Amino acid sequence: MKGNTGVTVDRNSGSGRNAIIFFALAVVFRCLGIIQHAGDLLTNKYSLFSELVLPLTFCALMILCIVLFGKNHFWLSIIPLMIGILFFILRSFSLDNILARKAGEWSVAIHICVYLLVLMLYSCSVLRFPVLKWALIPIFILGSVYHVIFEDYPAIMNGGESLSFSSVMNELSILFIVLGLIFAAFAFQAVAAEKADKPAEKKEKAKKKGLFARLFSKKKKKPEQNTAGAETSEVKQEPVSVPETPAAPQPESLKQEESLEDKPVFDESFFDTPYTATLTLDPQPDPNEGSASAAQEE
């Protein structure tokens, strides 16, 4: 998930506004319902937590998720739904109606299974499968019908003896919570469909990018097309043949100089040939023999 989740909720749509209104009414009626026994709630921490803290926190967080995270990260609404599921599970222990009395101990187990099923379907719908909202909506509607028929209607038929201002406000608060969930489920929209229907949002995001992002963007500019529609043809240059001119005869002096330049100045093969030196000594004439030969001649 990059940015957006499986579904989005438009707070400006009819279903989104109705969901916000019903959750806000649930908060107001819940606060009115604790006025008569506010002192008892302050002394009993369990009743304060289960009858006041949980429902008010659930409704307030759902409103914030629709208003702030409706377009992005609406999967965060799973957190307040878990708080609401805990509120309804704790409330199921104190139910006293015809079905609860007939089911006996199984009444609480049945309620817990239904609430966990709602949590699973809601999570899958928000994260990946928006089509599951059509399974959530009938469950919410059946829950509201069950609440009216088996809890509110018998109390009214008894002449209102068991009804008080506090109990009526609390029952209306629960009814508004269920109605808020119904309209929130109707407001679910798939992310892909919303992106396709609103391409103008992409243009607005592109305009908001700074100058730095535009300068260093990796997008390549497309070559400009010729407005006149003429196709540009490449001019191929053919090589021009130049006639070769015969070389002028060179004088002999230049030829000799070139031949001398071609010859190496120093013959390296001189060091490769072995050199043998022979020393011959000429005999020097003996002076005595010269004098003796002169005497014989005389």
Side-chain angles (χ1 to χ4, degrees), residues 44-88:
N44 190 349
K45 294 182 179 180
Y46 175 78
S47 298
L48 179 65
F49 177 75
S50 61
E51 296 182 14
L52 183 64
V53 176
L54 288 178
L56 293 183
T57 304
F58 164 68
C59 295
L61 291 179
M62 284 299 295
I63 294 172
L64 289 177
C65 287
I66 295 173
V67 174
L68 300 180
F69 306 109
K71 293 295 182 182
N72 297 305
H73 308 292
F74 190 69
W75 58 269
L76 292 173
S77 61
I78 298 175
I79 297 173
L81 184 69
M82 294 173 66
I83 298 174
I85 293 297
L86 180 60
F87 163 69
F88 282 103

Side-chain angles (χ1 to χ4, degrees), residues 91-220:
R91 184 177 174 276
S92 64
F93 287 95
S94 60
L95 290 178
D96 187 14
N97 51 43
I98 298 175
L99 292 180
R101 287 193 294 269
K102 288 185 177 180
E105 297 178 354
W106 291 98
S107 174
V108 177
I110 293 171
H111 281 84
I112 291 175
C113 291
V114 173
Y115 297 146
L116 293 179
L117 177 63
V118 169
L119 179 60
M120 183 186 68
L121 291 175
Y122 185 92
S123 302
C124 294
S125 177
V126 169
L127 292 174
R128 185 67 65 178
F129 306 104
V131 72
L132 290 177
K133 73 176 185 178
W134 301 113
L136 275 175
I137 293 172
I139 295 175
F140 290 149
I141 293 174
L142 290 176
S144 61
V145 172
Y146 167 83
H147 182 79
V148 171
I149 293 176
F150 293 100
E151 294 185 17
D152 297 338
Y153 181 74
I156 295 172
M157 293 301 294
N158 290 332
E161 297 178 357
S162 60
L163 292 177
S164 62
F165 177 79
S166 177
S167 61
V168 170
M169 293 296 104
N170 291 332
E171 294 298 324
L172 289 176
S173 174
I174 294 172
L175 184 61
F176 289 147
I177 287 175
V178 178
L179 290 176
L181 290 172
I182 292 172
F183 282 104
F186 272 115
F188 286 175
Q189 294 179 358
V191 173
E194 184 181 1
K195 286 184 177 179
D197 294 336
K198 296 183 178 181
E201 293 183 358
K202 294 183 179 180
K203 295 182 180 179
E204 292 179 0
K205 291 180 181 179
K207 290 180 181 179
K208 291 180 181 179
K209 289 183 179 180
L211 180 62
F212 182 81
R214 294 180 183 177
L215 291 176
F216 293 93
S217 62
K218 297 182 180 180
K219 294 182 179 180
K220 297 181 180 180

